[in-house]
Amino acid sequence: MMAKRTMTLNLTDAEMRVLDDLSLRKDITKTAVLRQALRLYQTIEARVEKGEKLLFENEATKEKAELMLL
Amino acid sequence: MTADVSTIYLLDVATGNSVEAELRDAIEQAQIDDWQTKWQPALLGILQDLARNGVPMSQWPQSWHWNWAQKTARVQGLLAFRGFSVVAQGETQGLVQVDLTKAGREPNQVRKPLVYIDYLEVAPWNRPEFGAAPRLRGVGTALLTAAVALSDDEGFKGRLGLHSLPQADDFYRKIGMTDLGPDSAYQNLRYFEMTAEQARAFLE
């Protein structure tokens, strides 16, 4: 098991509600939600840096929308 | 980063004795070197034998073209990917690379995070399907156990997913994974998932 460090996180009520909701829907702890978010963010950044785009496709209409990352 | 090392035990098929091995929570340069200098020549010999004996390519080891140097280089530094290796008798005996960004498809765990096995391969000399008796048994199971334990440690409750090469379908059914059928979006390979309950049973 990898060693882990502890940090304090300050969130607004709205952010905390989202974190609670994601934790419930994804069946993972709040810490796991944040670690998962970090992984996904880093993965997306790495691919965008390589010149790729992040697209969402509507399964029914096949309509594509690009997620703009600043 | 230095790999965490746990001691596991494998079965030496020739003697029937248990053999101490290391389960390492990384794939390091030493493993890539072993793949290049030991696995590749052994695999080449096996492929030459299969070709000489007229065995059709459809029955060849389906992972014969996997390049672990490329696979590990592609994901270096990315938190989403983790690797494990089993080392025994001074040689790398098996490797697994997993992706932590995938989600479940099985009805009870749809869109819930899981550990997805991208690639799992055992050294050519440990694979029984090539005719000769394998040298060590238990390598694949040890790697799979490491992936389930990682899923548990990450808070994914042991959930696991993978696309199986046809030669391994029966193994994944035997250990109790749910067969969700061929995936047309992934070379028609069958997709298997382990639920939290199945993971608990697997680890017991």
Coordinates of all heavy atoms in Angstrom, one line a residue, chain B residues 76-113:
Chain B
Q76 N 3.7 6.5 -18.0 CA 4.6 6.9 -16.9 C 4.2 8.2 -16.3 O 3.9 9.2 -17.0 CB 6.0 7.0 -17.5 CG 7.1 7.0 -16.4 CD 8.5 6.9 -16.9 OE1 8.7 7.1 -18.0 NE2 9.4 6.5 -16.0
G77 N 4.2 8.3 -15.0 CA 3.8 9.5 -14.3 C 2.3 9.8 -14.2 O 2.0 10.8 -13.5
L78 N 1.5 9.0 -14.8 CA 0.1 9.2 -14.7 C -0.5 8.5 -13.5 O -0.3 7.3 -13.4 CB -0.6 8.8 -16.0 CG -0.3 9.6 -17.2 CD1 -1.0 9.0 -18.5 CD2 -0.8 11.0 -17.0
L79 N -1.3 9.2 -12.7 CA -1.9 8.6 -11.5 C -2.9 7.5 -11.8 O -3.2 6.7 -11.0 CB -2.5 9.7 -10.6 CG -1.6 10.8 -10.1 CD1 -2.5 11.9 -9.4 CD2 -0.6 10.2 -9.1
A80 N -3.5 7.6 -13.0 CA -4.6 6.7 -13.4 C -4.1 5.3 -13.6 O -4.9 4.4 -13.7 CB -5.2 7.3 -14.6
F81 N -2.8 5.1 -13.8 CA -2.3 3.8 -14.1 C -1.4 3.3 -13.1 O -0.5 4.0 -12.6 CB -1.6 3.8 -15.5 CG -2.6 4.2 -16.6 CD1 -2.7 5.5 -16.9 CD2 -3.3 3.3 -17.3 CE1 -3.6 5.9 -17.9 CE2 -4.2 3.7 -18.3 CZ -4.3 5.0 -18.6
R82 N -1.5 2.0 -12.7 CA -0.6 1.4 -11.8 C -0.2 0.0 -12.3 O -0.9 -0.6 -13.2 CB -1.4 1.1 -10.4 CG -1.8 2.4 -9.7 CD -0.7 3.1 -8.9 NE -0.1 2.1 -8.0 CZ -0.6 1.9 -6.8 NH1 -1.6 2.6 -6.3 NH2 0.0 1.1 -5.9
G83 N 1.0 -0.4 -11.8 CA 1.5 -1.7 -12.3 C 1.9 -2.6 -11.1 O 2.2 -2.0 -10.0
F84 N 1.9 -3.9 -11.3 CA 2.4 -4.8 -10.3 C 3.3 -5.9 -11.0 O 3.0 -6.2 -12.2 CB 1.3 -5.5 -9.6 CG 0.4 -4.7 -8.7 CD1 -0.7 -4.1 -9.2 CD2 0.8 -4.4 -7.4 CE1 -1.5 -3.2 -8.4 CE2 0.0 -3.6 -6.6 CZ -1.1 -3.0 -7.1
S85 N 4.2 -6.4 -10.3 CA 5.0 -7.5 -10.9 C 5.3 -8.5 -9.8 O 5.3 -8.3 -8.6 CB 6.3 -6.9 -11.5 OG 6.9 -6.1 -10.5
V86 N 5.5 -9.7 -10.3 CA 5.9 -10.9 -9.5 C 7.3 -11.3 -9.9 O 7.5 -11.5 -11.1 CB 4.9 -12.0 -9.6 CG1 5.4 -13.3 -8.9 CG2 3.5 -11.7 -9.1
V87 N 8.2 -11.3 -8.9 CA 9.5 -11.7 -9.1 C 9.9 -12.9 -8.3 O 9.6 -12.9 -7.1 CB 10.5 -10.5 -8.8 CG1 12.0 -10.9 -9.0 CG2 10.2 -9.3 -9.7
A88 N 10.4 -13.9 -8.9 CA 10.8 -15.1 -8.1 C 12.0 -15.8 -8.9 O 12.1 -15.6 -10.1 CB 9.7 -16.1 -8.1
Q89 N 12.9 -16.4 -8.1 CA 14.1 -17.1 -8.7 C 14.9 -16.1 -9.5 O 15.4 -16.5 -10.6 CB 13.6 -18.3 -9.5 CG 12.9 -19.3 -8.6 CD 12.3 -20.5 -9.4 OE1 12.0 -20.4 -10.5 NE2 12.1 -21.6 -8.7
G90 N 14.9 -14.8 -9.1 CA 15.7 -13.9 -9.8 C 15.2 -13.4 -11.1 O 15.9 -12.7 -11.9
E91 N 13.9 -13.8 -11.4 CA 13.3 -13.4 -12.7 C 11.9 -12.8 -12.6 O 11.2 -13.3 -11.7 CB 13.3 -14.6 -13.7 CG 14.6 -15.1 -14.1 CD 14.5 -16.4 -14.9 OE1 13.6 -17.3 -14.6 OE2 15.2 -16.5 -15.9
T92 N 11.5 -12.0 -13.5 CA 10.1 -11.5 -13.5 C 9.2 -12.6 -14.0 O 9.5 -13.2 -15.1 CB 10.0 -10.3 -14.4 OG1 10.9 -9.3 -13.9 CG2 8.6 -9.7 -14.4
Q93 N 8.2 -12.9 -13.2 CA 7.4 -14.1 -13.5 C 6.0 -13.7 -14.1 O 5.3 -14.5 -14.7 CB 7.2 -15.0 -12.3 CG 8.4 -15.5 -11.7 CD 9.2 -16.5 -12.5 OE1 8.6 -17.0 -13.5 NE2 10.5 -16.7 -12.2
G94 N 5.6 -12.4 -13.9 CA 4.4 -11.9 -14.4 C 4.2 -10.4 -14.2 O 4.9 -9.8 -13.3
L95 N 3.4 -9.8 -15.0 CA 3.2 -8.4 -15.0 C 1.7 -8.0 -15.2 O 1.0 -8.7 -15.9 CB 3.9 -7.7 -16.1 CG 5.5 -7.8 -16.1 CD1 6.0 -7.4 -17.5 CD2 6.1 -7.0 -15.0
V96 N 1.2 -7.0 -14.5 CA -0.1 -6.5 -14.7 C -0.1 -5.0 -14.7 O 0.6 -4.4 -13.9 CB -1.1 -7.1 -13.7 CG1 -0.9 -6.6 -12.3 CG2 -2.6 -6.7 -14.1
Q97 N -0.9 -4.4 -15.6 CA -1.0 -2.9 -15.7 C -2.5 -2.6 -15.6 O -3.3 -3.2 -16.3 CB -0.5 -2.3 -17.0 CG -0.5 -0.8 -17.0 CD 0.3 -0.3 -18.1 OE1 1.5 -0.4 -18.2 NE2 -0.4 0.3 -19.1
V98 N -2.9 -1.7 -14.6 CA -4.3 -1.4 -14.4 C -4.6 0.1 -14.6 O -3.7 0.9 -14.5 CB -4.8 -1.9 -13.0 CG1 -4.6 -3.4 -12.8 CG2 -4.1 -1.1 -11.9
D99 N -5.9 0.3 -14.9 CA -6.4 1.7 -15.2 C -7.4 2.0 -14.1 O -8.4 1.2 -13.9 CB -7.0 1.7 -16.6 CG -7.5 3.1 -17.0 OD1 -7.7 3.9 -16.1 OD2 -7.8 3.3 -18.2
L100 N -7.3 3.1 -13.4 CA -8.2 3.4 -12.3 C -9.3 4.4 -12.7 O -10.1 4.9 -11.8 CB -7.4 4.0 -11.1 CG -6.3 3.1 -10.5 CD1 -5.6 3.8 -9.4 CD2 -6.9 1.8 -10.0
T101 N -9.4 4.7 -14.0 CA -10.4 5.7 -14.4 C -11.7 5.1 -15.0 O -12.6 5.8 -15.4 CB -9.8 6.7 -15.4 OG1 -9.5 6.0 -16.6 CG2 -8.6 7.4 -14.9
K102 N -11.8 3.8 -15.0 CA -12.9 3.1 -15.7 C -14.0 2.9 -14.7 O -13.8 2.9 -13.5 CB -12.5 1.8 -16.3 CG -11.4 1.9 -17.4 CD -12.1 2.3 -18.7 CE -11.2 1.9 -19.9 NZ -10.1 2.9 -20.2
A103 N -15.2 2.7 -15.2 CA -16.4 2.5 -14.3 C -17.1 1.2 -14.7 O -17.0 0.7 -15.8 CB -17.3 3.7 -14.4
G104 N -18.0 0.7 -13.8 CA -18.7 -0.5 -13.9 C -19.8 -0.5 -15.0 O -20.3 0.5 -15.3
R105 N -20.1 -1.7 -15.5 CA -21.2 -1.9 -16.4 C -22.2 -2.9 -15.9 O -23.3 -3.0 -16.3 CB -20.7 -2.5 -17.7 CG -19.6 -1.6 -18.4 CD -19.1 -2.3 -19.7 NE -18.0 -1.6 -20.2 CZ -17.4 -2.0 -21.3 NH1 -17.9 -3.0 -22.1 NH2 -16.3 -1.3 -21.8
E106 N -21.8 -3.8 -15.0 CA -22.7 -4.8 -14.4 C -23.9 -4.0 -13.7 O -23.6 -3.0 -13.1 CB -21.9 -5.6 -13.4 CG -22.5 -6.9 -13.1 CD -23.4 -6.9 -11.8 OE1 -23.4 -5.9 -11.1 OE2 -24.1 -7.8 -11.6
P107 N -25.1 -4.5 -13.9 CA -26.3 -3.7 -13.4 C -26.2 -3.2 -12.0 O -26.6 -2.1 -11.7 CB -27.4 -4.7 -13.5 CG -27.0 -5.6 -14.7 CD -25.5 -5.7 -14.6
N108 N -25.5 -3.9 -11.1 CA -25.5 -3.5 -9.7 C -24.3 -2.5 -9.4 O -24.2 -1.9 -8.3 CB -25.3 -4.7 -8.7 CG -26.5 -5.6 -8.7 OD1 -27.6 -5.1 -8.6 ND2 -26.3 -6.9 -8.9
Q109 N -23.5 -2.2 -10.4 CA -22.4 -1.3 -10.2 C -22.1 -0.4 -11.4 O -21.0 0.0 -11.7 CB -21.1 -2.1 -9.8 CG -20.7 -3.2 -10.7 CD -19.6 -4.0 -10.1 OE1 -19.4 -4.2 -8.9 NE2 -18.7 -4.6 -10.9
V110 N -23.2 -0.1 -12.1 CA -23.1 0.7 -13.3 C -22.5 2.1 -12.9 O -23.0 2.7 -11.9 CB -24.5 0.9 -14.0 CG1 -24.4 2.0 -15.1 CG2 -25.0 -0.4 -14.6
R111 N -21.5 2.5 -13.6 CA -20.8 3.9 -13.4 C -20.1 4.0 -12.1 O -19.8 5.1 -11.7 CB -21.8 5.0 -13.7 CG -22.3 5.0 -15.2 CD -23.3 6.0 -15.5 NE -22.8 7.3 -15.4 CZ -23.5 8.4 -15.2 NH1 -24.8 8.3 -15.2 NH2 -23.0 9.6 -15.1
K112 N -20.0 2.9 -11.4 CA -19.2 3.0 -10.1 C -17.7 2.7 -10.5 O -17.5 1.8 -11.2 CB -19.7 2.1 -9.1 CG -21.1 2.5 -8.6 CD -21.7 1.5 -7.6 CE -23.1 1.9 -7.2 NZ -23.7 1.0 -6.3
P113 N -16.8 3.4 -9.9 CA -15.4 3.2 -10.2 C -14.9 1.8 -9.9 O -15.4 1.2 -9.0 CB -14.6 4.2 -9.4 CG -15.6 5.2 -8.9 CD -16.9 4.5 -8.9

